[in-house]
Structures are given as C-alpha cells and as structure tokens.
Amino acid sequence: MNASLLNPFTVTHPTAVQTSLVSGASFARFDPTGKFVAAGRSDGSAAIWDLDTRAVIRWCEGHVKAVTSVDWSRNSRYVLTSSKDWNVIIWDLASPVDPPQRHNTIRFDAPVVSAYFHPRNSRIVLALLSTGEAYVVDSRKEHRARVELCETLSEDDDDERARSIMTTARFDPSGRHVFVGTSTGNVLVFNSRTKIMVARHRIAGAGSMKSLEFAKVGRRFATNSSDRTIRQFILPTYPSPIVGAECAILETELEPTHRFNDPISKVSWHAMSYSPDGEWLAGGAADPATHKIYIWDISNDGQFATALDGGREPLIDIHWHPRASRLASTTNQGSVLIWHCPSPERWGAFAGGFEEADENVMYEEGESEFDIENEVELAMRKKLQEDEAVDILGGVDDLIDHKMNGVAGDPGDEDLEWADDEPDDDWQGWRLKVIMVDDDDAY
C-alpha cells in the first residue's frame, strides 16, 4: 500500500494478521529493508521469503542440524545462519544460483547458540556457544583473529561468579560494544575493538539472562530473564579503553525504568522486540495453549497497550519490522504470521484537487476535458513506449535509501574507524538476481 495514503494519526502498532507463511520455521527475521524474511528451520535449512510475492526466493541449505539463529548484513546482501552442527555459514544472496553461494564458513568446537554480524562490517561476527563461551571472529586480512570474551574477575570475586556461564550475547546498535548476559543475572559489556571488559552490571532478582534487545534509537535496552520479567534500562556511557593500559571496570547495579510482566497468568517470555522508533515493545508469551503477543507503549510511561491473539498454535518467536508497523511471529507448527496495522486510505492524497464524496454528485465536464486527440500523435506515442527496452532478467533492484540503524558516529571515533577498516562488499547498489525456473522445479 502507498505510504502516502495512510493516516499518520492512526494506531502505530500491529493489530491484525495480514498473512501466514507456511515455512516449517523455528523463528523468522526481517531484513533491514523490510522486503524479505529469513526463516530458520529445524532441518538445517533457511528459507528467504519475498513479502511482496509471498514466495520463497532462496533456500540456504548447508547445515546438517537445526538452525539456531539468522542475521542479515546491513544492506541485506549477506545472510548468516548458525546451527547445532557447530558451524556458522555466511551466504551471498548476490550470487545468481540457488542455494546461494557460501561466502564463508566458520567452524567452532561446540554447537552454536546464536551468531550476529557487526552492524558496520559483515566480516566481523559474534558467536555464542552452548558451552557458555562467546567469541568475536574477525575475517579481515589485517585483523584476522578469533578472540574469546572473558569476564575479568577481581580478587574479591568468589568461585560462584567464576562459574557463571554466558547465556546470551549481542552487539549494540553502534557496534562499539558487545553485551553479554550471564546465568547469574549480570550483564557484561566488552569493547568490540579491544575485546576488553569495560563494565559489569548487576540486575537484582533477574536470575539467568535469556535474551537482550536494543532500541534502534536512543540508549534503551531490555532484558528477558528467568524470573518471567522483562526489564528496560537506560544505558550509561562507556569510555573507550586503551590497548595495553590498565582499564577501570564500571561496576554498577542497573535500576530498570520499567518492568513488564503478566500479573495474572505469570507466564514467561520467549522473545521481545522494539519497534523501529523505540516507542513500542512487544513481548511473545510462552503460553503453551495460545499465541499471545503483549505490546507496551514506551512513550506513554510503559503503559500496557494491547494483547494480540494469534490462535491456538503457541508462539515461539517474534520480530518487529525494521521500518513499518508490522510483526513476524512464529508458531510451534512452523507458520510465520505477519501482523500489520490496517489503516483507512486517504484517497485525497492522489492529487491536490481530488475530493472524497460521501454521496453521488453531478459532475460538470470541463470545456476541453474529453476532446478527441490527434490519432497520429497518439499512435506515435504508443509506438515509442512499446519500443522501450524492458529488463526482465537483470534482477530486482533493491536500492532503498535506508540508514544504518543508528550506527553513524563522529569522525575520528577509534572504535568505528576500526570497524570500517577493510569494508565488506555489502554496498547499497547490489542486485538480487531473478532465477528463472521451470514449472516442475517451482517452489
């Protein structure tokens, strides 16, 4: 639908299911442009769906065990899949073949729980293993390394803290820091460039960390923990450490600005996701009998807005569209539900003089409005239009002017200059090739 026809004063969170993608998925992720959805499957494959045609356009088949996470590079050229088979595979969607060409394969010594691209460079990957270890893998020639993120322990730390394992790990939207949640309710902050721990935040009563989520704007982030509560915090600022120098670790107890839970059923949460503007937060309830999504209005002091009901197939994952008021929720049967916000169309936006009428009115014809045109000129104009070349094999141009999700920084920023060194090939002008298939081979 044309965005100019939508009323800007309507509700800005999803309210109804628009379509359902039967994909056998365990989870689904929108790409940064919002045109595609990557669905990870338990058979070791990942399907790339086109939301316009609602069809699978690529199959990423390379794992022998279940896919555990999917991530997109900033311009959607590369797709990352991690799996229980100990591998992380990076796929190049610009390749004119299906399955797409493998751009890189990273192998670990244990099943991979999750993996993410660096927000500024797809050659830098963060991976979390089932053994509770987090690694930053840099495949650039001048910076090639695989570094484990290790918690810095002080002399006063007891053995209990030393035994805490890492349960979730994410880059922040700028890419400057890696946030790691632990089984003891702490959030560790590492500098992405130096891999040095710069902060340790304790969250009282949280228990084991299940997931972390960042708003694309501002400094808000949310935690989902084993005590069945989602907490939102405002992040402090962290100094940039100097390699080889003694660095003081910021030790604080974060106080949440909001706490979100279900006071009636006391359900836990499978996943959570911020809206693109950070004004809404969605939480997917781990209810074994229903498909429930709770939405809170962050701009209105975290007030509860609504609960979406997706039927009787329980929810296992959610993800908010990066640009619009849409959600992707995954059921335990593998269907991906695409939620949207139905809005009345403003047909007056077509032209300045267009008026909407509530009832039929008598139309007065203009003096030369329906005059007969010169047939020779009309035929010549049609012939020129027919002679224009039409590109049906060149590909689908994905040139969308989209910002890098809050990763812009000041010139001279050492951390960002490090990330931008040896940039990848994920430029905005890449084209997704159209692959022609026979009817017998169609999906």
Side-chain angles (χ1 to χ4, degrees), residues 374-387:
N374 188 323
E375 294 184 1
V376 176
E377 295 181 359
L378 183 62
M380 182 63 67
R381 188 161 59 247
K382 287 184 178 180
K383 186 177 185 303
L384 291 175
Q385 292 176 350
E386 293 174 355
D387 290 341

Side-chain angles (χ1 to χ4, degrees), residues 1-11 341-349 356:
M1 183 185 295
N2 193 331
S4 63
L5 300 179
L6 302 180
N7 188 340
F9 300 103
T10 57
V11 179
C341 180
S343 300
E345 297 171 342
R346 296 185 298 117
W347 296 102
E356 298 183 29

Side-chain angles (χ1 to χ4, degrees), residues 121-136:
N121 198 327
S122 64
R123 295 182 178 179
I124 306 172
V125 173
L126 170 66
L128 177 69
L129 307 185
S130 62
T131 55
E133 302 167 328
Y135 290 88
V136 175

Side-chain angles (χ1 to χ4, degrees), residues 133-254:
E133 302 167 328
Y135 290 88
V136 175
V137 181
D138 196 335
S139 59
R140 297 174 295 177
K141 291 183 179 179
E142 298 297 327
H143 304 273
R144 190 178 299 275
R146 179 182 299 203
V147 180
E148 181 182 357
L149 302 179
C150 298
E151 180 180 3
T152 302
L153 301 177
S154 63
E155 296 179 355
D156 298 333
D157 289 333
D158 53 20
D159 293 338
E160 184 179 353
R161 171 176 287 182
R163 289 195 301 268
S164 64
I165 62 174
M166 299 178 179
T167 55
T168 179
R170 291 286 301 271
F171 282 112
D172 71 342
S174 69
R176 292 183 178 92
H177 299 98
V178 176
F179 285 72
V180 177
T182 70
S183 59
T184 56
N186 292 331
V187 174
L188 312 179
V189 184
F190 296 85
N191 182 271
S192 300
R193 173 176 56 90
T194 63
K195 318 301 186 295
I196 297 175
M197 193 174 84
V198 297
R200 181 191 291 114
H201 301 302
R202 182 176 179 272
I203 301 176
S208 179
M209 291 293 164
K210 298 172 64 178
S211 61
L212 304 174
E213 188 69 21
F214 294 88
K216 294 180 177 62
V217 293
R219 299 190 60 82
R220 293 194 294 268
F221 91 111
T223 63
N224 177 23
S225 52
S226 60
D227 67 341
R228 305 184 179 187
T229 300
I230 296 175
R231 295 172 173 83
Q232 179 183 270
F233 304 90
I234 302 299
L235 290 174
T237 56
Y238 305 105
S240 182
I242 301 175
V243 179
E246 193 72 22
C247 178
I249 299 176
L250 178 64
E251 298 264 5
T252 60
E253 180 174 325
L254 290 182

Side-chain angles (χ1 to χ4, degrees), residues 223-411:
T223 63
N224 177 23
S225 52
S226 60
D227 67 341
R228 305 184 179 187
T229 300
I230 296 175
R231 295 172 173 83
Q232 179 183 270
F233 304 90
I234 302 299
L235 290 174
T237 56
Y238 305 105
S240 182
I242 301 175
V243 179
E246 193 72 22
C247 178
I249 299 176
L250 178 64
E251 298 264 5
T252 60
E253 180 174 325
L254 290 182
E255 186 64 28
T257 58
H258 300 97
R259 289 183 174 89
F260 308 107
N261 53 30
D262 187 339
I264 300 176
S265 59
K266 302 292 184 180
V267 297
S268 58
W269 307 97
H270 275 313
M272 56 188 174
S273 186
Y274 275 104
S275 63
D277 55 8
E279 294 186 356
W280 305 90
L281 177 64
D287 192 325
T290 59
H291 189 103
K292 285 285 188 181
I293 302 174
Y294 293 74
I295 296 180
W296 296 276
D297 187 354
I298 304 300
S299 61
N300 190 22
D301 198 27
Q303 293 293 322
F304 174 73
T306 187
L308 307 180
D309 189 352
R312 295 188 176 182
E313 295 184 2
L315 176 146
I316 56 177
D317 188 73
I318 60 169
H319 188 236
W320 205 299
H321 193 281
R323 297 172 171 276
S325 177
R326 304 176 77 182
L327 270 171
S329 64
T330 309
T331 72
N332 68 341
Q333 300 299 316
S335 298
V336 179
L337 306 183
I338 306 297
W339 300 76
H340 73 140
C341 180
S343 300
E345 297 171 342
R346 296 185 298 117
W347 296 102
F350 275 121
F354 190 94
E355 296 181 3
E356 298 183 29
D358 296 331
E359 57 183 13
N360 294 336
V361 295
M362 186 67 67
Y363 180 74
E364 296 182 3
E365 179 183 338
E367 182 178 353
S368 61
E369 185 172 359
F370 297 105
D371 289 352
I372 299 176
E373 293 189 52
N374 188 323
E375 294 184 1
V376 176
E377 295 181 359
L378 183 62
M380 182 63 67
R381 188 161 59 247
K382 287 184 178 180
K383 186 177 185 303
L384 291 175
Q385 292 176 350
E386 293 174 355
D387 290 341
E388 292 180 358
V390 179
D391 182 14
I392 63 173
L393 297 176
V396 180
D397 197 352
D398 199 23
L399 293 175
I400 294 183
D401 183 19
H402 63 280
K403 299 179 181 178
M404 295 196 331
N405 293 334
V407 299
D410 298 330

Side-chain angles (χ1 to χ4, degrees), residues 27-32 38 40 46 48 67-74 76-82 88-91 93 114-119 121-122 124-126 170-171 319:
F27 54 88
R29 293 289 179 270
F30 289 106
D31 81 308
I48 309 298
V67 174
T68 56
S69 70
V70 169
D71 196 26
W72 294 84
S73 61
R74 66 185 184 277
S76 305
R77 173 173 177 175
Y78 298 109
V79 175
L80 175 152
T81 58
S82 66
V88 171
I89 301 178
I90 299 174
W91 307 87
L93 295 186
S114 63
Y116 297 95
F117 284 124
H118 189 285
N121 198 327
S122 64
I124 306 172
V125 173
L126 170 66
R170 291 286 301 271
F171 282 112
H319 188 236

